[in-house]
Amino acid sequence: MKINRSVEQGVYVMLMLALQKGHTPIKSQVLSARLEVSDSYLKKILRKLVVAGLVSSSASKDGGFTIGCDVTTVSLLDVCSAVDATDRLIMPELNLANHVFPGDKAHVAQSQKLVNHAFSEAQLAFNAKLAQVELSSLLEQGSFQHGVVDWTTLV
């Protein structure tokens, strides 16, 4: 399984917003410049975070993006679910086993059932582990309550 780069960008955007001094809005251009990523791609990620309720946005002159929730309640799974749907492992249904073993339908069906169950169990374990890691645990204690960095002055 390969985790999309949007997950990493989503995590760091959330951390930057949590650390923003006074939790004032940050423009996407400031975020993308600091992360050294495409602004247009980052805007797509930001939109997904807004839809998920993790980030708030304001289109005013002094607007931008702010943390939309308590960072102590947000897990890695929340960000993954919002930006890349990595919370669901989807197995392709090519039915290749029927081409390789065409005569034994019962055995093929049982084998496919075992494989699907294994992937389902793996997904549950993966999700459970991601859900255990709160974003706030990635920050220094006390740094996110009011924010400690003004990202707009560092770009």
Side-chain angles (χ1 to χ4, degrees), residues 51-128:
V51 169
L54 301 177
V55 168
S56 296
S57 67
S58 171
S60 69
K61 176 185 166 226
D62 297 324
F65 296 90
T66 55
I67 193 84
C69 56
D70 179 355
V71 73
T72 62
T73 66
V74 180
S75 70
L76 288 176
L77 180 62
D78 296 324
V79 177
C80 286
S81 298
V83 300
D84 194 35
T86 50
D87 62 323
R88 294 184 315 273
L89 183 66
I90 300 170
M91 287 290 299
E93 294 186 27
L94 300 175
N95 295 316
L96 296 179
N98 290 322
H99 300 290
V100 177
F101 307 106
D104 195 352
K105 300 281 187 212
H107 179 75
V108 168
Q110 180 61 28
S111 296
Q112 286 176 322
K113 185 176 178 181
L114 285 171
V115 169
N116 289 338
H117 181 72
F119 275 100
S120 178
E121 292 290 315
Q123 185 66 60
L124 291 173
F126 179 75
N127 291 356

Side-chain angles (χ1 to χ4, degrees), residues 30-63:
V30 172
L31 295 166
S32 63
R34 185 65 180 183
L35 294 172
E36 297 182 9
V37 299
S38 161
D39 187 51
S40 61
Y41 186 78
L42 189 63
K43 282 180 181 173
K44 292 176 184 175
I45 295 168
L46 285 162
R47 178 70 188 136
K48 291 178 181 182
L49 292 170
V50 167
V51 169
L54 301 177
V55 168
S56 296
S57 67
S58 171
S60 69
K61 176 185 166 226
D62 297 324

Side-chain angles (χ1 to χ4, degrees), residues 114-147:
L114 285 171
V115 169
N116 289 338
H117 181 72
F119 275 100
S120 178
E121 292 290 315
Q123 185 66 60
L124 291 173
F126 179 75
N127 291 356
K129 192 63 177 176
L130 290 180
Q132 290 176 358
V133 180
E134 293 176 353
L135 291 188
S136 59
S137 70
L138 305 176
L139 299 169
E140 291 181 6
Q141 194 169 19
S143 64
F144 53 87
Q145 280 76 6
H146 303 291

